[in-house]
Amino acid sequence: MLIAQITDLHVTARGTRAFDKVDTNAHLAAAVAHLNALDPRPDLVLLTGDLVNGPKPGEYEMLADLLAPLEPPVRAIPGNHDDRASLRALFPTLPREGEFLHHTVEEGAVRVILLDTHVPGAVHGELCAERLGWLAARLAEAPERPTLIAMHHPPFASGMDGLDRIGCRGAEGMADLVAARGNVLGVVCGHVHRPITTRWAGTVAFSAPSTAHQFALTLNPEAPFRWTTEPPAVALHQWLPGGTLATHLSYIGAGYEPQPYR
């Protein structure tokens, strides 16, 4: 099974750009074409939040147009820039009732749990008692089945002070739930616009880069918060026959195409 992950799309209304500089819509169009051209093609594409840049009028309509050519099935969860009602209208697989948009994907060799960490009006994420209870119930349903958890806000510290201040509150409770289960292959996230991998709660946690701009790497807590044009990428989580989940980055854009050795 091959699961693709794209994150932090930050789609803007037609004819506009993020920060008046970054053409996030063109970047997403390139990511969709990249996904459709992959061989083998992914069995599933996860959109791990911040699908739009506002939310502002016209953004979700633009997102729908940009995602329309995507051929593999898609599942989405909100990030801090998203609006739950707009996501419900766009993605029929999302829950129709209740406050949160978390849900599961049962098809395929790997079960995927998509966890909603969105807090309306806030940049940070949260795992409250209700959300942790939902996660505990889902993990208990299939304790032996290989499982991947997808969320927007990373539950782990990145070492980048500015990002960690707007991380996921209540993650300690999630760590207890995950550590008690031996079937959680990994936790995949967005939000930090960088590829970061760490050991967390007895499994592997990973944040994927954005399909557009990245946050500049700064490990100095006093450094200013900046963005960079480091290359966008698709994360590919590949379930291997021996029971291993391997994660790869597939970079998008001219100059990253495979070349033969001569």
Side-chain angles (χ1 to χ4, degrees), residues 75-115:
R75 294 296 185 104
I77 46 173
N80 48 285
H81 282 265
D82 287 306
D83 172 73
R84 289 193 181 112
S86 298
L87 284 180
R88 275 196 174 100
L90 184 57
F91 295 100
T93 52
L94 288 172
R96 300 292 100 185
E97 298 179 357
E99 179 182 0
F100 304 116
L101 298 185
H102 30 243
H103 60 292
T104 64
V105 180
E106 303 292 346
E107 301 81 14
V110 176
R111 186 185 194 217
V112 182
I113 297 176
L114 294 103
L115 188 56

Side-chain angles (χ1 to χ4, degrees), residues 173-254:
M174 179 183 174
D176 292 339
L177 294 174
V178 170
R181 302 285 179 181
N183 63 319
V184 178
L185 303 171
V187 178
V188 298
C189 320
H191 191 53
V192 296
H193 291 234
R194 293 207 64 81
I196 302 171
T197 305
T198 188
R199 185 76 174 164
W200 179 82
T203 189
V204 177
F206 168 80
S207 66
S210 166
T211 56
H213 57 289
Q214 314 309 328
F215 290 151
L217 176 61
T218 172
L219 302 179
N220 179 350
E222 298 180 0
F225 200 64
R226 296 173 294 179
W227 62 276
T228 175
T229 56
E230 290 176 19
V234 170
L236 297 172
H237 310 291
Q238 185 181 23
W239 174 243
L240 300 172
T244 297
L245 189 74
T247 293
H248 310 267
L249 287 181
S250 182
Y251 291 100
I252 305 166

Side-chain angles (χ1 to χ4, degrees), residues 111-199:
R111 186 185 194 217
V112 182
I113 297 176
L114 294 103
L115 188 56
D116 182 347
T117 59
H118 174 62
V119 179
V123 180
H124 70 268
E126 185 175 351
L127 289 170
C128 59
E130 183 178 350
R131 284 180 266 207
L132 290 173
W134 181 89
L135 176 61
R138 300 294 78 74
L139 290 172
E141 288 172 343
E144 304 300 325
R145 190 170 175 196
T147 297
L148 182 71
I149 299 175
M151 55 200 295
H152 180 66
H153 297 85
F156 58 87
S158 70
M160 298 176 65
D161 189 64
L163 295 178
D164 291 338
R165 287 197 300 268
I166 56 172
C168 189
R169 299 178 186 177
E172 300 84 358
M174 179 183 174
D176 292 339
L177 294 174
V178 170
R181 302 285 179 181
N183 63 319
V184 178
L185 303 171
V187 178
V188 298
C189 320
H191 191 53
V192 296
H193 291 234
R194 293 207 64 81
I196 302 171
T197 305
T198 188
R199 185 76 174 164

Side-chain angles (χ1 to χ4, degrees), residues 32-103:
V32 167
H34 188 85
L35 287 164
N36 286 340
L38 287 173
D39 183 17
R41 183 168 293 170
D43 300 292
L44 176 68
V45 177
L46 302 178
L47 311 181
T48 50
D50 279 2
L51 309 188
V52 300
N53 197 50
K56 294 179 181 178
E59 291 181 338
Y60 281 103
E61 291 80 2
M62 189 73 247
L63 176 66
D65 289 347
L66 290 167
L67 291 177
L70 186 58
E71 296 173 5
V74 175
R75 294 296 185 104
I77 46 173
N80 48 285
H81 282 265
D82 287 306
D83 172 73
R84 289 193 181 112
S86 298
L87 284 180
R88 275 196 174 100
L90 184 57
F91 295 100
T93 52
L94 288 172
R96 300 292 100 185
E97 298 179 357
E99 179 182 0
F100 304 116
L101 298 185
H102 30 243
H103 60 292

